Amino acid sequence: MFSLRQPRKLCASKLHISKLLLLKSQSKPWPFLIPAYCPYSTKLAPVHPYEPKGSSTITSLPQTNLLPPQTQTDTLNPPASTLPPPLILPSREPSQWRPVFYFRTGRAYLTFYKTGLKAIWSNYKLLRQVRPRIPRDKSLEQALRDGDLSRADYHFICRTRRDVSRIPLFGLVLCIFGEFTPLVVIFLSGAVPRTCHIPRQVERAREKAEARRKQSFREGTVVAGKEIGKVEDMAELPKPTLRHVGTTLGLYSDLWDRIGVAPSMLLPRRIRKAVERIEADDLAILRDGGAKGLLKKEVQLAAEGRGLDVVGRPIKDIQSELDRWMKARRHKDTSVIDLLCRRPSAWPHA
C-alpha cells in the first residue's frame, strides 16, 4: 500500500530536480550550484553583491572605471572583497571546558578561511565579467598610466589573479590540516591568498620585513643620489644597492640573508617590475584623489609596498609619510630607487 506521504516526496523530488535543471540551463561557470554570498558574512546572500537586479552588463560604465559601482565607492580604493574578512574569535569563559574552547576557535578559523575563499570566487566571477574591457595590447601598468584603468581596477585585477593562483596549494593545506591550518600557514605566507591572511600572520610578516630593512640600513653600504635614480638598466646598479632595494621591497627570501649572499641574477628583473608598479601606482594615486583618499587598510598596504614602516604606528603618521613620498615623487628628478635608498628623514623635496 502507498501512504499519503509518498506522493508528496515524489512531488518534492521532481521540484528539486527541476530547480537543478533550471540552474544548469543558465550556462554559468562551474560550480553552477554555488549560490551568491556576501564577502564579509558567513551566511549566503540571495543576491550577488556585484550583480544588481536589472543590470547584468557594464557596457555603460566609463572607460576608466571597469568595476560596477556596487563594488566600490571611488576609483582610488579597490573593492573590500580583495582584503581579508574580519576574524571573530570566541572568548573563553572561566567555567568553559578547554577542549570545547579550542574546538570553537578552530571552527572560527575554518569559517574565516571559507569566507576568504568565497570572496576569491566572487572576485573571479567579476574579473571574468570585466575581462573583455581590459586592454590586451599593453601591460596593466601602462594601461594604468594611460588612464584605461583606475587604481581600483588595477589592484582588483592584480590581487584577484594572485589569489586565484594560490588557491591550489592553500586548498591542499586546508584539506589536510583543517582547523589546524593557522598553525601551519603562519610559516607559509607566500602560499596563502590575501583574503585568507589572519591578523597575526600579517603582523608577523610586517615585523620580519621591517627588521630586515633596518638591518640593511645599519650596514651603511647603500648608495643613494640622483645618479642612482637616473640608471635605467637595473643590472648596472651597485650590488649593495640591488640587495638593499630587494630587501626593502621583499623581493627575495630571508634564507638568502642566512647564507650571506643575494640572488644578484634575479634581482634586476624583479626590481624593474617592482619600480614600474610603484611608479604607475604613484601616478594613479595623484590622479585619482591623492593619498588622503585612501582607506585605512589601503594606506597600510600602499606604505608597505613602498618599504615604509607600519607596525605599531598610528594611521595618521603612516598617511603623513605617504604624503611626503607623493610630494617628493612630484619632482621629475626624484626617482623611486633614490627614495628607497634613503631614510624618510632624508627624502629630497619632501
Side-chain angles (χ1 to χ4, degrees), residues 122-175:
S122 179
N123 293 336
Y124 174 70
K125 290 195 296 183
L126 179 59
L127 180 60
R128 290 187 56 172
Q129 183 182 357
V130 302
R131 186 175 295 169
R133 299 282 305 280
I134 300 176
R136 297 184 179 182
D137 57 343
K138 61 182 73 173
S139 64
L140 291 178
E141 288 75 18
Q142 186 62 40
L144 181 62
R145 294 192 191 95
D146 296 342
D148 297 329
L149 296 175
S150 66
R151 185 181 185 273
D153 299 330
Y154 172 78
H155 282 282
F156 171 79
I157 295 171
C158 293
R159 294 176 187 179
T160 301
R161 289 179 176 178
R162 182 172 56 248
D163 289 344
V164 170
S165 66
R166 295 176 180 178
I167 283 182
L169 180 58
F170 177 73
L172 179 63
V173 174
L174 187 62
C175 292

Side-chain angles (χ1 to χ4, degrees), residues 60-235:
S60 61
L61 294 178
Q63 182 67 16
T64 57
N65 189 9
L66 297 182
L67 301 179
Q70 287 76 15
T71 65
Q72 62 185 47
T73 58
D74 51 35
T75 59
L76 191 61
N77 299 285
S81 58
T82 60
L83 300 175
L87 176 60
I88 303 176
L89 297 177
S91 58
R92 182 170 181 263
E93 300 178 359
S95 59
Q96 189 178 18
W97 196 29
R98 191 181 297 271
V100 175
F101 169 72
Y102 289 151
F103 175 77
R104 292 181 177 178
T105 302
R107 290 295 298 271
Y109 277 109
L110 192 60
T111 301
F112 169 80
Y113 288 132
K114 288 182 179 179
T115 306
L117 291 176
K118 289 177 182 179
I120 298 176
W121 170 245
S122 179
N123 293 336
Y124 174 70
K125 290 195 296 183
L126 179 59
L127 180 60
R128 290 187 56 172
Q129 183 182 357
V130 302
R131 186 175 295 169
R133 299 282 305 280
I134 300 176
R136 297 184 179 182
D137 57 343
K138 61 182 73 173
S139 64
L140 291 178
E141 288 75 18
Q142 186 62 40
L144 181 62
R145 294 192 191 95
D146 296 342
D148 297 329
L149 296 175
S150 66
R151 185 181 185 273
D153 299 330
Y154 172 78
H155 282 282
F156 171 79
I157 295 171
C158 293
R159 294 176 187 179
T160 301
R161 289 179 176 178
R162 182 172 56 248
D163 289 344
V164 170
S165 66
R166 295 176 180 178
I167 283 182
L169 180 58
F170 177 73
L172 179 63
V173 174
L174 187 62
C175 292
I176 295 176
F177 296 97
E179 289 85 351
F180 299 96
T181 302
L183 303 178
V184 180
V185 298
I186 198 171
F187 303 102
L188 301 173
S189 298
V192 182
R194 183 183 294 274
T195 59
C196 298
H197 282 183
I198 59 177
R200 178 52 188 161
Q201 179 183 359
V202 175
E203 202 73 10
R204 179 188 177 96
R206 287 174 175 173
E207 291 174 354
K208 194 174 183 180
E210 292 181 9
R212 293 182 62 196
R213 192 180 307 128
K214 292 178 181 179
Q215 178 63 28
S216 180
F217 272 114
R218 281 196 295 265
E219 292 178 357
T221 57
V222 182
V223 180
K226 295 182 179 180
E227 293 75 13
I228 294 296
K230 294 179 180 179
V231 176
E232 296 182 359
D233 188 0
M234 297 303 165

